[in-house]
Amino acid sequence: MDYKAIAQQMAQEVLGYNQDTSGWKVVKTSKKITVSSKPSRKFHGNLYRVEGIIPESAAKLSDFLYQTGGRVTWDKSLQVYDMVHRIDSDTFICHTITQSFAMGSISPRDFIDLVYIKCYEGNMNIISSKSVDFPEYPPSSNYIRGYNHPCGFVCSPMKENLAYSKIVMFVHTEMRGKLSPAIIEKAMPSNLVNIIFNAKDGIKAHKTPSGRGFHHNSHS
């Protein structure tokens, strides 16, 4: 499988989401974080867009979001986030297991995703991901295997203050299983807001003297 070609294509799709200004409907706002959605063109569900401001430079924020080692310490939506195959310094495959949410009505899912980081003009970084087939990690009977259509984080410097970044997160997840779309639509916006809050808290903790500083993490 040509993972690098898939990586380029999914980054382009996330860039396209970021440039698409039409048809979004605001479904939640909380402490300057805005969640919008629009119907997916790929499955019976929604594409979500989550926007906020984080007090960190775009380069350090994207590095923080890209590294795997500490992800589950700050991202409370995940139980497991493990790199299972490194392709190159910009690209890897990870195995993710989510927490249950919506008070247990949405059980944990697992995903095998290709993850890719790319820098664009104006110091904008996109970390994109998409579900792929990876024979070493077939679906197990323990979890429903979900499917991520192209998802990602777009990190851009705030021109008026480069110590701050705009973060836009796109989530395009097919949960699979027998869930009613209404349950997902009700639960998803709060869950997505919490991920941005968690990232803010995580990067703040990462910057403290006891934090290990920023670096690309090797195999976790």
Side-chain angles (χ1 to χ4, degrees):
M1 189 175 286
D2 190 346
Y3 290 123
K4 286 300 287 187
I6 295 169
Q8 296 286 351
Q9 185 186 356
M10 72 193 187
Q12 200 58 37
E13 284 201 50
V14 173
L15 179 64
Y17 299 160
N18 196 51
Q19 293 168 340
D20 178 10
T21 55
S22 66
W24 296 98
K25 175 186 164 196
V26 175
V27 291
K28 188 174 181 68
T29 54
S30 177
K31 295 182 185 169
K32 299 185 180 173
I33 296 170
T34 304
V35 183
S36 311
S37 72
K38 67 192 308 186
S40 170
R41 293 179 180 169
K42 296 179 184 283
F43 73 106
H44 182 52
N46 289 323
L47 166 62
Y48 289 93
R49 176 186 185 118
V50 192
E51 299 176 69
I53 305 294
I54 290 191
E56 186 52 271
S57 72
K60 286 183 176 174
L61 173 60
S62 53
D63 196 37
F64 172 76
L65 294 170
Y66 179 68
Q67 55 183 280
T68 57
R71 180 68 177 256
V72 294
T73 60
W74 64 263
D75 189 342
K76 309 297 184 217
S77 70
L78 301 179
Q79 298 181 49
V80 171
Y81 187 86
D82 286 341
M83 183 194 305
V84 294
H85 180 59
R86 165 70 79 182
I87 294 162
D88 58 25
S89 62
D90 302 326
T91 322
F92 63 88
I93 292 172
C94 79
H95 179 229
T96 307
I97 303 173
T98 62
Q99 302 282 6
S100 64
F101 65 104
M103 296 185 295
S105 59
I106 299 176
S107 62
R109 299 299 197 258
D110 87 325
F111 298 87
I112 290 288
D113 291 330
L114 181 65
V115 181
Y116 174 56
I117 186 168
K118 184 174 182 181
C119 187
Y120 289 81
E121 201 177 328
N123 292 325
M124 177 177 77
N125 289 299
I126 294 183
I127 301 159
S128 52
S129 59
K130 177 183 187 290
S131 289
V132 290
D133 288 325
F134 188 62
E136 288 87 338
Y137 272 76
S140 89
S141 57
N142 299 333
Y143 299 100
I144 295 169
R145 173 67 53 92
Y147 187 89
N148 281 317
H149 298 279
C151 297
F153 295 101
V154 181
C155 305
S156 314
M158 300 288 290
K159 291 186 174 59
E160 58 274 21
N161 186 348
L162 297 179
Y164 283 70
S165 303
K166 180 180 182 183
I167 183 171
V168 186
M169 177 174 72
F170 294 98
V171 174
H172 202 183
T173 301
E174 204 169 337
M175 292 288 188
R176 305 264 166 99
K178 296 186 173 71
L179 282 172
S180 107
I183 291 177
I184 298 169
E185 281 177 31
K186 191 172 177 200
M188 193 65 103
S190 296
N191 208 45
L192 298 177
V193 163
N194 287 339
I195 293 172
I196 302 296
F197 284 148
N198 291 167
K200 269 187 172 175
D201 290 344
I203 205 162
K204 197 186 294 176
H206 204 69
K207 286 167 72 173
T208 60
S210 61
R212 292 173 304 158
F214 292 96
H215 60 276
H216 271 318
N217 201 52
S218 59
H219 290 263
S220 54

